């Protein structure tokens, strides 16, 4: 099933699949262990589970696709996820259920998302940006090496704004790409990047060094910043060596802290 914003679970890119293949290390897990991993990730006990299905999928990397039907499901409610067969790492999770009227703000949802990552042992992340949806908000977190943001390794978290529960988690890029990097010093100064940022609109968040990818998937060092033009926020990535614009992302609700 798609995530709440309509995006599909990952594994649609060759580089991502190859990265996950590299990440699939350790002892293999069984179908029953994969079911238990997903159930535990949602805080489900055996008595909470009415029925579970596990299917082994192999497309460059072997995974278990898990679907759990809870006791007394709400209108098609299900818990789904994918787990690497070797090592048992969770690739993504999705709690499919009706979403009620929002009672939490975007900012409160961000706190819930950050706490969820922390509880899963995923620490040292910065909330880069996010956006509101119909009854939910989705947040993008990126890890940090030194003072450099690692955008290829991003994790996405979907939070239901009716009760603050996490209803989606995408760790695929983090598993596939996260590693220590040899990061060179930029040739462009921070002040030069700031002047370039201010020429593009109202500066929302100042330039910060980041690793990003070009259209061919090659990693590069860039300055990233958020500007607002006519009320629309967007994130810009400038090459940290020659100042050329690499790419631009249209944002919903930008947040960055850390």
């Amino acid at each position: 099933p798609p995530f709440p914003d309509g995006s599909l679970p990952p594994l649609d890119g060759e580089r991502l699949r190859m990265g996950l293949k590299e990440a699939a290390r350790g002892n293999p897990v069984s179908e029953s262990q994969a079911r238990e991993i997903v159930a535990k990730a949602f805080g489900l006990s055996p008595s909470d589970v009415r029925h579970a299905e596990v299917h082994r999928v192999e497309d460059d990397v072997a995974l278990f696709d898990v679907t759990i039907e809870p006791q007394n499901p709400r209108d098609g409610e299900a818990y789904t996820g994918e787990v690497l067969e070797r090592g048992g790492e969770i690739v993504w999770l999705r709690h499919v259920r009706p979403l009620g009227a929002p009672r939490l703000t975007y900012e409160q949802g961000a706190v819930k998302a950050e706490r969820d990552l922390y509880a899963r042992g995923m620490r040292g992340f910065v909330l880069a940006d996010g956006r509101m949806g119909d009854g939910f908000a989705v947040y993008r977190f990126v890890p940090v090496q030194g003072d450099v943001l690692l955008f290829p390794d991003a994790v996405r978290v979907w939070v239901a704004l009716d009760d603050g529960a996490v209803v989606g988690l995408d760790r695929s890029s983090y598993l596939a790409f996260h590693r220590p990097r040899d990061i060179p010093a930029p040739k462009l100064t921070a002040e030069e990047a700031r002047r370039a940022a201010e020429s593009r609109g109202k500066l929302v968040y100042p330039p910060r060094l980041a690793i990003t990818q070009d259209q061919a998937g090659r990693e590069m060092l860039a300055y990233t910043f958020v500007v607002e033009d006519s009320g629309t926020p967007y994130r810009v990535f400038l090459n940290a060596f020659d100042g050329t614009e690499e790419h631009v992302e249209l944002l919903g609700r930008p947040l960055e802290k850390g």
Side-chain angles (χ1 to χ4, degrees), residues 174-236:
Y174 178 76
L175 289 176
F177 304 128
H178 189 57
R179 67 191 187 281
R181 289 168 168 87
D182 184 12
I183 301 175
K187 291 186 178 179
L188 198 69
T189 67
E191 181 56 34
E192 288 171 329
R194 187 180 186 93
R195 287 200 299 268
E198 291 173 339
S199 71
R200 284 167 165 79
K202 178 184 176 183
L203 189 61
V204 179
Y205 289 107
R208 184 167 179 178
L209 284 171
I211 296 293
T212 187
Q213 293 176 332
D214 63 15
Q215 295 298 320
R218 295 183 295 262
E219 291 193 351
M220 66 178 60
L221 184 66
Y223 280 100
T224 183
F225 51 87
V226 176
V227 293
E228 190 175 84
D229 183 26
S230 301
T232 301
Y234 56 96
R235 180 179 292 280
V236 180

Side-chain angles (χ1 to χ4, degrees), residues 160-172:
L161 298 180
D162 54 1
D163 62 1
V166 169
V167 291
L169 172 66
D170 178 5
R171 301 177 69 236
S172 59

Side-chain angles (χ1 to χ4, degrees), residues 15 39 42 59 66 70 75 105 133 165 170 173 189 202 226:
R15 290 188 68 253
F42 285 111
D59 182 10
V66 181
D75 192 21
T105 65
D170 178 5
S173 294
T189 67
K202 178 184 176 183
V226 176

Side-chain angles (χ1 to χ4, degrees), residues 106 127-132 138-140 251-255:
Y106 176 91
L127 176 55
D129 42 63
R131 63 185 181 86
M132 297 283 283
V138 56
Y139 306 93
R140 178 169 62 166
L251 300 179
R253 187 82 171 267
L255 269 182

Side-chain angles (χ1 to χ4, degrees), residues 3-5 7 136-139 156-160 165-170:
F3 290 110
D5 58 355
S7 62
F136 67 91
V138 56
Y139 306 93
R156 293 185 298 166
V157 184
W158 289 258
V159 174
V166 169
V167 291
L169 172 66
D170 178 5

